[in-house]
């Protein structure tokens, strides 16, 4: 089978092929290079958001220059420090509840220079 741009998408020898680097998916180099790049810009900002969340407040941490795996570990550490739930989406750490001060202190202990953003 060939895709619309003429590249091989499946081979009986190796299976699925990456459309970008034309390598087998198991040996794909473009996805590993993209996932290793840091997500944030290095300016760590902590803010509180409640819009569009049914009145519930969420503490957001943006701009942390870490790769996705390290960002997930940092998110876990912050949620544990706050004793709350949360997630990591698109390079933004979300911690449920108003924990801005706790998150700022935890980030300072971990060596990140963070500042409060928003109101």
């Amino acid at each position: 089978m060939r895709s619309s741009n003429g590249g091989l998408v499946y081979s009986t020898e190796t299976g699925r092929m990456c459309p970008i680097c034309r390598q087998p998916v198991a040996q794909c180099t473009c996805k590993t290079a993209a996932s290793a790049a840091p997500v944030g810009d290095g300016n760590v900002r902590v803010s509180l958001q409640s819009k569009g969340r049914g009145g519930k407040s969420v503490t957001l941490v943006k701009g942390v220059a870490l790769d996705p795996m390290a960002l997930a570990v940092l998110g876990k550490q912050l949620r544990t420090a706050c004793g709350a739930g949360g997630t990591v989406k698109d390079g933004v750490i979300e911690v449920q509840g108003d924990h801005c001060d706790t998150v700022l202190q935890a980030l300072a202990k971990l060596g990140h220079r963070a500042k409060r953003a928003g109101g």
Side-chain angles (χ1 to χ4, degrees), residues 23-59:
Q23 298 292 325
V25 172
Q27 300 166 353
C28 177
T29 56
C30 58
K31 297 222 192 287
T32 56
S35 66
V39 177
D41 59 359
N43 297 327
V44 183
R45 295 171 303 280
V46 179
S47 62
L48 187 67
Q49 184 184 54
S50 60
K51 287 187 177 180
R53 299 181 186 272
K56 308 280 184 183
S57 58
V58 175
T59 303

Side-chain angles (χ1 to χ4, degrees), residues 37-90:
V39 177
D41 59 359
N43 297 327
V44 183
R45 295 171 303 280
V46 179
S47 62
L48 187 67
Q49 184 184 54
S50 60
K51 287 187 177 180
R53 299 181 186 272
K56 308 280 184 183
S57 58
V58 175
T59 303
L60 300 175
V61 182
K62 298 179 183 178
V64 182
L66 295 174
D67 62 272
M69 293 301 293
L71 196 65
V73 171
L74 178 63
K76 173 72 174 164
Q77 291 172 338
L78 293 177
R79 291 191 311 267
T80 302
C82 296
T87 187
V88 177
K89 292 182 186 172
D90 299 325

